[in-house]
Amino acid sequence: MQGLGFFYSLVPWLARVSGDGFREACYRHLGYFNTNPYMSPYVLGVVSRLEEEGKGEESVKARNDLMGPLGAMGDGFYWATLLPVTLLLSLSVSFFSMAAAPVFFLLAFNAIHLRNRWVYLNRGYLNAGSPQEGASELNGKVLPRKMERMITPLLGFALGLGAFGTGTPGTAFLFFGAAFLVFRRRWRDPEIFAFLIVLGTVMGFLGPGMRIPWSG
Amino acid sequence: MTAAVAKIILSALVAGLLSIDRNAFGQFQISRPMVSALIMGVVLGCPVEGAAVGLIFEVLFLNSLPVGSFIPYHPLFPSLITVLLICLYEGPLQPMELIGPAVLFGMPTAFLDRAVNIQWRRSNEKAFHRAMVYLRLGRTDLVQAQHILSALRAGIYHGGSFLLTGLALVPAFNILLRSFGSLPQRFAVVAMLPFFMGLAGLASDRTSRKGWGGFTLGLVLGACVGFWRTLG
């Protein structure tokens, strides 16, 4: 999927800069491509510049060399840091205004990744001579490392708000503690879902009182 | 009956469109349940329940991340199915009372969704081979068209499976709730189980010796604000 997408993005540029070698350039770049989707503009920038300079084979090597490191970098920031942070912030907002939470989430997440995508494209184009060094500069400068530290305080904050929002904080903390122990046992996803469905059915029939915090 | 089927078809269209954002185009995170369940709720006429369901599923799947080549369970499908079940319920119960049982019904569809997602990814491999053939013929326009078609196919795969699931689960949910009478009112607790489960999953993954300090600080602050809100 990403291979086709990468090619789709690159074709207008190749048509402009390749001249008679357009078909060969297309052959070079319709291939396997897999990285973090938010980091791909950097590769696109590098490949565009190298193709413009007539360094077709170098562009293929750069593309293949960058996929892995950028994938790891992007997964670590966008999926494992930015997404949980923006979601937990939005979750905290939801306890005060349910309608504002999705708007806040969309604005926060998209503002950061859209801005970064543009920066990556520019940096890729400018660092085409030494793409690996350019990519390593992204880590720390463009991707803030300290953001990860926000996850656990936000998690605690959302738990505190959510527990009191149910009207029965004792039961809520008990659920959290029991679930924490389950996760500590490193259960797999299907086992966790099955456990949740069975526990949910049992708890539903036992019926301890608990309010949904967003029910007003 | 006809109105319910029309609403299921409409919701399948919405689900199909939202699923395109998930992998195939943009990834603007409109497909996160916090946003998508609210959209589905607005379309079907129950926005408050949609938003609440979205938040519950958002937290449950908070730690299910597409890192590397791993295809995780995604909350889009189960959250939308849950909203559909709530909005198309015909009976004496209030929509908020339905969230618990509907979550129990909707949760297992995450497995179906993952299977459909894997099928769609396989279909992309065929699209890629077709693109190679078109490139040999010198038709770059058709190669680019394959990309658009792959994105649309994501919508068709997910929308189609959503339609079939909705047609099966909506009547089943209505029949089951009628036979249980007023019991679902006690199921409110079930709605919040995934919420605390999701938070615990993330806490288990992210807390270390350093992380516990921040977590405790956040928890105390959150508890204070929560307590103050209950007084208000």
Side-chain angles (χ1 to χ4, degrees):
Chain A
M1 184 69 201
Q2 282 196 33
L4 275 175
F6 185 78
F7 180 80
Y8 183 90
S9 311
L10 199 62
V11 162
W13 185 257
L14 292 179
R16 193 171 143 184
V17 300
S18 304
D20 293 338
F22 175 64
R23 201 164 171 182
E24 286 71 33
C26 286
Y27 272 119
R28 277 197 293 274
H29 293 293
L30 182 60
Y32 178 74
F33 182 73
N34 187 20
T35 188
N36 181 280
Y38 299 115
M39 302 298 285
S40 55
Y42 182 82
V43 190
L44 205 57
V46 170
V47 169
S48 301
R49 178 69 176 268
L50 291 174
E51 282 290 346
E52 189 182 0
E53 292 172 352
K55 297 172 182 171
E57 293 309 316
E58 270 184 55
S59 74
V60 175
K61 186 179 180 305
R63 191 191 72 197
N64 292 339
D65 288 350
L66 286 169
M67 280 191 294
L70 286 179
M73 213 188 285
D75 285 352
F77 178 69
Y78 289 101
W79 297 142
T81 306
L82 183 63
L83 191 65
V85 166
T86 48
L87 284 174
L88 285 169
L89 274 171
S90 310
L91 184 67
S92 304
V93 169
S94 76
F95 291 108
F96 301 94
S97 167
M98 198 159 69
V103 178
F104 176 82
F105 166 67
L106 283 179
L107 285 177
F109 189 86
N110 285 310
I112 294 172
H113 88 77
L114 285 173
R115 176 247 176 207
N116 283 0
R117 281 187 189 194
W118 180 247
V119 172
Y120 299 154
L121 187 67
N122 279 312
R123 286 195 175 221
Y125 189 80
L126 295 173
N127 292 315
S130 52
Q132 298 279 12
E133 286 75 14
S136 65
E137 278 178 16
L138 298 178
N139 206 7
K141 281 185 182 170
V142 181
L143 309 177
R145 285 180 202 162
K146 289 180 181 171
M147 195 184 258
E148 197 180 359
R149 292 183 196 168
M150 290 169 68
I151 293 176
T152 47
L154 283 171
L155 186 62
F157 188 71
L159 174 64
L161 274 175
F164 277 89
T166 59
T168 51
T171 316
F173 285 127
L174 199 67
F175 280 162
F176 176 80
F180 187 81
L181 291 177
V182 165
F183 279 101
R184 278 286 183 210
R185 294 180 73 88
R186 300 267 165 217
W187 284 13
R188 290 175 303 154
D189 283 345
E191 291 166 342
I192 290 166
F193 281 127
F195 172 73
L196 202 49
I197 290 164
V198 171
L199 182 69
T201 310
V202 172
M203 295 304 283
F205 280 100
L206 292 175
M210 189 175 269
R211 209 168 62 86
I212 298 169
W214 307 283
S215 58
Chain B
M1 182 66 187
T2 316
V5 173
K7 279 189 173 179
I8 294 172
I9 293 169
L10 178 68
S11 63
L13 282 172
V14 175
L17 285 173
L18 288 168
S19 67
I20 293 175
D21 171 72
R22 184 170 134 189
N23 294 127
F25 176 77
Q27 302 207 343
F28 299 109
Q29 303 303 328
I30 301 163
S31 54
R32 292 304 302 185
M34 189 185 283
V35 184
S36 58
L38 174 64
I39 293 172
M40 185 63 94
V42 169
V43 169
L44 295 175
C46 49
V48 178
E49 292 74 24
V53 166
L55 289 163
I56 289 164
F57 275 97
E58 193 63 79
V59 178
L60 177 61
F61 287 79
L62 203 55
N63 210 26
S64 191
L65 304 167
V67 176
S69 58
F70 174 66
I71 302 170
Y73 292 94
H74 198 279
L76 176 68
F77 208 84
S79 63
L80 295 185
I81 283 285
T82 304
V83 177
L84 181 73
L85 294 176
I86 294 167
C87 296
L88 294 194
Y89 167 76
E90 290 165 358
L93 294 165
Q94 293 300 309
M96 270 294 174
E97 295 169 352
L98 295 166
I99 292 182
V103 163
L104 275 184
F105 254 71
M107 221 170 349
T109 59
F111 295 103
L112 174 71
D113 171 62
R114 190 166 181 265
V116 171
N117 198 17
I118 290 169
Q119 281 301 317
W120 169 69
R121 283 167 191 261
R122 282 187 190 148
S123 80
N124 282 336
E125 288 169 21
K126 289 177 189 165
F128 186 80
H129 293 306
R130 272 197 298 275
M132 292 295 273
V133 172
Y134 289 135
L135 187 61
R136 272 185 223 117
L137 296 170
R139 296 291 305 270
T140 48
D141 55 333
L142 290 179
V143 178
Q144 285 185 295
Q146 284 302 312
H147 177 60
I148 307 281
L149 288 173
S150 290
L152 290 176
R153 210 178 294 116
I156 294 165
Y157 269 62
H158 289 95
S161 57
F162 187 92
L163 178 67
L164 296 175
T165 313
L167 287 171
L169 284 188
V170 168
F173 184 70
N174 273 281
I175 290 166
L176 195 77
L177 282 207
R178 267 182 222 142
S179 60
F180 274 114
S182 62
L183 192 61
Q185 290 172 18
R186 300 166 69 187
F187 270 70
V189 66
V190 181
M192 291 312 289
L193 268 180
F195 179 85
F196 293 110
M197 201 88 181
L199 288 180
L202 193 65
S204 161
D205 218 37
R206 298 302 177 96
T207 45
S208 57
R209 280 183 186 174
K210 267 186 179 177
W212 276 114
F215 177 78
T216 312
L217 187 72
L219 180 61
V220 170
L221 194 64
C224 288
V225 176
F227 182 65
W228 171 69
R229 274 167 54 83
T230 54
L231 291 177

